[in-house]
Amino acid sequence: MPLEGNPRNSHSSGRGVYRSIDGGTTWELMGLEGTKNIHRIIVHPDDHQTVWVGAIGTAWGDSPDRGVYKTTDGGQTWEHQLYIDERTGVADMIIDPSNPDKLLVAMWSHRREPWFFTSGGEGSGLYVTHNGGTDWKKYSDDDGLPAGELGRMGLTISPANPDVIYALIESNSTALYHSTNGGVSWSMIQGNQVGNRPFYYADIYADPSDERRLFNLYSMVDMSEDGGKTFRTILPTVEFIRTTMLFTFIRMIPITSLMEMMVG
């Protein structure tokens, strides 16, 4: 079950969702074997039996095993809640910390080939649900998103102010967008300091205690303290930063500890 969201030609694939109820000593397969690659798993904060799985799916071919799945019985059964087409999977998925029925999902049409990579397509888009995934709304340029074909997106929200949501959006003019009203409308912040190779790197995180402090993970790690208007590099480019190991390590430690490690 690799939480692999960067589909390089060397990425691995998994066999489904596993669950441990003894702190990781033993594991049980709970289904979704066909998804191959799962990028996000969100457990309901008040009900551990309710879980959403965001499947990016295989990068190498068409597959219906993509999109958002939900269980309300601890993985015994799964509902395929959001599905677009056989090329479009979940690039990112976040939950509103103040309302567990509200989730935002970035759907991404993509295809990996040995000699080429296609990022973006008609299936890509940003979706929101306000009832736990029963119904979904797709945002458009009428809501402030870029017009035209979209690629990969990274999403983040801070418990400090859940009305502020950030979206790093690959398009003809890749840029960082935000909403200050919980996703009702969106506007572009800037497109000059948004990282490189957006089809590989779309990991952005908001400080849980300060919605204006952002971390952008790509070939290096950048930090903003003004809501994404400007960024400065706190971890320069070195080859090992591009590995999944470091991304996983950074996700596992608190933002405050990360700041102490990077900036003293």
Side-chain angles (χ1 to χ4, degrees):
M1 184 196 68
L3 287 171
E4 176 61 82
N6 304 312
R8 293 181 60 86
N9 50 10
S10 58
H11 82 163
S12 60
S13 294
R15 186 168 168 247
V17 173
Y18 288 77
R19 180 185 69 173
S20 173
I21 57 174
D22 56 12
T25 301
T26 59
W27 293 86
E28 178 185 6
L29 177 62
M30 305 305 295
L32 303 185
E33 293 93 331
T35 57
K36 301 296 183 183
N37 291 85
I38 291 170
H39 191 34
R40 294 287 185 251
I41 297 176
I42 295 177
V43 180
H44 193 292
D46 303 318
D47 177 14
H48 69 275
Q49 296 286 345
T50 296
V51 181
W52 291 271
V53 166
I56 191 171
T58 178
W60 295 96
D62 291 348
S63 171
D65 299 303
R66 307 181 191 272
V68 177
Y69 296 82
K70 181 183 181 181
T71 179
T72 56
D73 54 15
Q76 300 299 322
T77 60
W78 295 92
E79 177 188 0
H80 202 174
Q81 287 194 315
L82 181 60
Y83 172 77
I84 308 301
D85 58 43
E86 292 190 342
R87 296 177 67 101
T88 306
V90 174
D92 210 349
M93 180 170 67
I94 58 174
I95 189 170
D96 187 327
S98 65
N99 177 10
D101 286 328
K102 179 181 176 183
L103 294 92
L104 285 88
V105 176
M107 298 297 288
W108 180 30
S109 178
H110 66 287
R111 172 61 54 83
R112 160 62 65 188
E113 298 174 75
W115 59 91
F116 195 70
F117 186 77
T118 301
S119 178
E122 293 182 359
S124 297
L126 180 57
Y127 291 79
V128 64
T129 178
H130 294 273
N131 54 14
T134 302
D135 302 294
W136 297 87
K137 173 195 171 181
K138 182 180 181 181
Y139 291 110
S140 70
D141 55 317
D142 291 335
D143 302 302
L145 295 189
E149 196 171 275
L150 304 180
R152 187 176 176 182
M153 303 179 215
L155 308 173
T156 190
I157 188 171
S158 172
N161 185 356
D163 284 336
V164 178
I165 309 170
Y166 296 92
L168 185 59
I169 303 177
E170 179 190 9
S171 67
N172 289 330
S173 299
T174 299
L176 178 64
Y177 288 74
H178 74 161
S179 172
T180 59
N181 51 19
V184 176
S185 60
W186 298 81
S187 60
M188 186 180 79
I189 300 175
Q190 54 91 6
N192 298 319
Q193 295 177 299
V194 292
N196 56 14
R197 310 186 85 188
F199 52 92
Y200 279 148
Y201 309 114
D203 289 291
I204 188 166
Y205 298 92
D207 189 322
S209 61
D210 182 356
E211 75 278 9
R212 292 174 57 80
R213 181 178 294 121
L214 302 174
F215 296 87
N216 185 15
L217 281 63
Y218 55 108
S219 298
M220 57 192 74
V221 179
D222 289 352
M223 182 176 71
S224 172
E225 296 186 280
D226 56 10
K229 295 178 182 177
T230 60
F231 283 86
R232 63 185 177 91
T233 299
I234 60 173
L235 195 59
T237 302
V238 288
E239 186 61 29
F240 72 84
I241 294 176
R242 301 175 66 174
T243 67
T244 304
M245 181 181 295
L246 180 63
F247 289 156
T248 303
F249 169 71
I250 291 176
R251 291 192 187 107
M252 292 173 61
I253 61 177
I255 290 292
T256 51
S257 297
L258 174 64
M259 291 180 61
E260 292 174 359
M261 293 171 61
M262 298 302 141
V263 298

